[in-house]
Amino acid sequence: MIFADIPRGSGEFSYVNGVLGQHPNTSVISCKGIKESGCENASSLMLNFIVPPCTDSSKPTDMCIKELSFANSAGKMEKAKLLYEVATPKILANQSAKTPAGGGISVWQGPAGNNSGGTDTYGVQIGIRYNIDYNPQTFQPGVAYVFGFEAEVIPVSFKSGSQYKLPGGFQASNTECAWNEDGKCAVRQEFGSALPISLSFQMDSRITGWLSGRMKDTGIDFSQLTPSTNLLTVTGTPIDIPMGYADLTEADLAKNPAAKETFAQAVPQCVAGVTPWACGLASISRPQSDRLNWQWGPYFQERFRVQSATPTEFAAFEAKYFNTGYAKIFQQYLKTFPVRNSQWKILGLDRSGFREGNWPTCITDSTKFNGIVTTNAMLNDVSPARFEDGSLVYDVAGAHQAYDGSVFKGTYDLVMSSSVARCLYNFTSAPIKATISIIASDGTVQSVATEAVSERNGWLSLSAKNFTFSAPTIKIKLSQEATPTPTATPTPTPVQTAAPSATPAVVKKLTITCVKGKTVKKVTAAKPTCPAGYKKK
């Protein structure tokens, strides 16, 4: 059982693939653009757009990378220099389909000290995945919808060779290269001094809602450029992400029915025509941040049955199986590969990529940017934090040790719009307070060496560091002091400047008798009235 961050399909170049025919008799072809080169009759399209760097002629409606910056040793951010855009195939924007222009990975010059290869070159790879369905029964036939998004800063060195070619069509990249160029291979390096990095880019407004990431000390700056584009700046420090595995013996399986049933379900898939990763005990594999780590277990098939269940039935399913996935089943067996894996990455998914469950629209409203959660956990749930019993709940898991054998210390950062927090809790505009709890897998509360909470410029930032694994649950409780009721200012007694007036007349008071059943009350006042429920006698 292997857990590693694997590519989610963003690829290293822009492409359009068309699906011809109807299920089950379909074929996939490569196109040069939407409704071009054989895709005119496609029933659907699968598209990948690499976001290019901005130019002097870029408009606010364009999707492009505005700026990459690195912190120097004094902590000041310095802009990197754009060197070039890799000459992979380009795709024109399509207004009717609502898709942007697709370009190539951009290569930047930054500090050599932040690159373990000793070079000063970095790639910025931002990929947006869209789908287009032409079926008239769909919500918006012919209009692209966002399927996923990924942005990454990659430190690289280069090596030359005639075997390296620009990719295109269905051509796969050389696996040793972060990306290929003609005669050149970009070899991924680790981050060196791991100082903060800031990436600013113009982005499709449909890529909002909730993001996750691989960094720490995360900061966000967000503004709307046009109705279709936003400007997003994400700042954070690269982190090491353990690559893990679970190694079970027959004796382990005999003691763990859930693990045994999980592997038993995989064995029948070992038939001709099935890809190797889906076959057998030793080849079951999940990416580190995949939502199915929290759902895909012995009860996965039942998940399909409850999709049409009543709310009561679905709630019962969630209560029993919601956290019975790979992460929880194999947490006690997790170990770390002795290989460093540093990253600076942002990930966005549509609702289909979230763990199944019901999140308040406060969190999932895709018309605005709501928040981002980042962590260095081996396994983390990419879904928005769950809102349970008045707390935001987030799941992580991993091995106890880091790649170098030391005790692995976890980091967790949440940056959330203050308006989302106020929506969740029905808060007023008063300042928000928060407490962070790390609940170990045995139910005990861990002490956290570093905890920080702040609210500034409309964003609530929370951070927890130095907690340990295997599978802690992070709980965030938000609160605020009650807004005090304003005290009326007493009216000052006027200063008399004239002669005193005559003695005021005495107000005559009356007394009435009020009854309610056998209860009798007397009320004395200038204009007496009976209390509610009483009648004058």
Side-chain angles (χ1 to χ4, degrees), residues 3-170:
F3 297 95
D5 265 350
I6 59 176
R8 301 179 194 281
S10 64
E12 63 180 270
F13 60 96
S14 299
Y15 60 80
V16 177
N17 290 339
V19 178
L20 303 180
Q22 299 296 328
H23 181 77
N25 302 312
T26 60
S27 60
V28 180
I29 64 170
S30 176
C31 320
K32 291 183 179 180
I34 297 173
K35 292 293 186 181
E36 293 182 31
S37 60
C39 281
E40 293 84 354
N41 298 316
S43 58
S44 62
L45 298 177
M46 299 172 288
L47 313 98
N48 185 74
F49 291 86
I50 300 296
V51 177
C54 297
T55 66
D56 292 339
S57 60
S58 294
K59 301 183 292 293
T61 51
D62 293 334
M63 293 181 215
C64 59
I65 301 165
K66 287 190 69 70
E67 191 176 293
L68 173 67
S69 299
F70 294 84
N72 60 23
S73 57
K76 182 179 179 181
M77 301 303 294
E78 296 180 345
K79 293 182 182 180
K81 178 183 178 183
L82 175 63
L83 297 178
Y84 61 92
E85 178 185 353
V86 179
T88 44
K90 306 294 189 290
I91 299 174
L92 296 176
N94 188 296
Q95 188 173 1
S96 62
K98 295 185 179 180
T99 55
I105 293 173
S106 52
V107 182
W108 303 70
Q109 184 180 44
N114 219 350
N115 187 324
S116 65
T119 66
D120 60 359
T121 45
Y122 299 82
V124 176
Q125 178 177 335
I126 302 181
I128 315 173
R129 297 179 298 285
Y130 294 95
N131 284 354
I132 298 177
D133 198 328
Y134 293 104
N135 187 328
Q137 303 301 317
T138 57
F139 173 60
Q140 288 183 311
V143 176
Y145 60 91
V146 177
F147 186 72
F149 155 77
E150 191 171 292
E152 185 174 11
V153 178
I154 311 169
V156 296
S157 61
F158 289 98
K159 64 179 182 179
S160 302
S162 58
Q163 70 272 33
Y164 304 121
K165 305 289 185 183
L166 279 172
F170 290 107

Side-chain angles (χ1 to χ4, degrees), residues 378-415:
M378 178 184 292
L379 301 167
N380 71 298
D381 184 7
V382 296
S383 308
R386 304 192 308 281
F387 191 60
E388 296 178 353
D389 300 325
S391 293
L392 290 166
V393 181
Y394 192 77
D395 293 305
V396 293
H400 187 67
Q401 291 185 323
Y403 76 96
D404 58 2
S406 62
V407 175
F408 184 70
K409 297 297 181 68
T411 68
Y412 170 86
D413 291 279
L414 169 65
V415 180

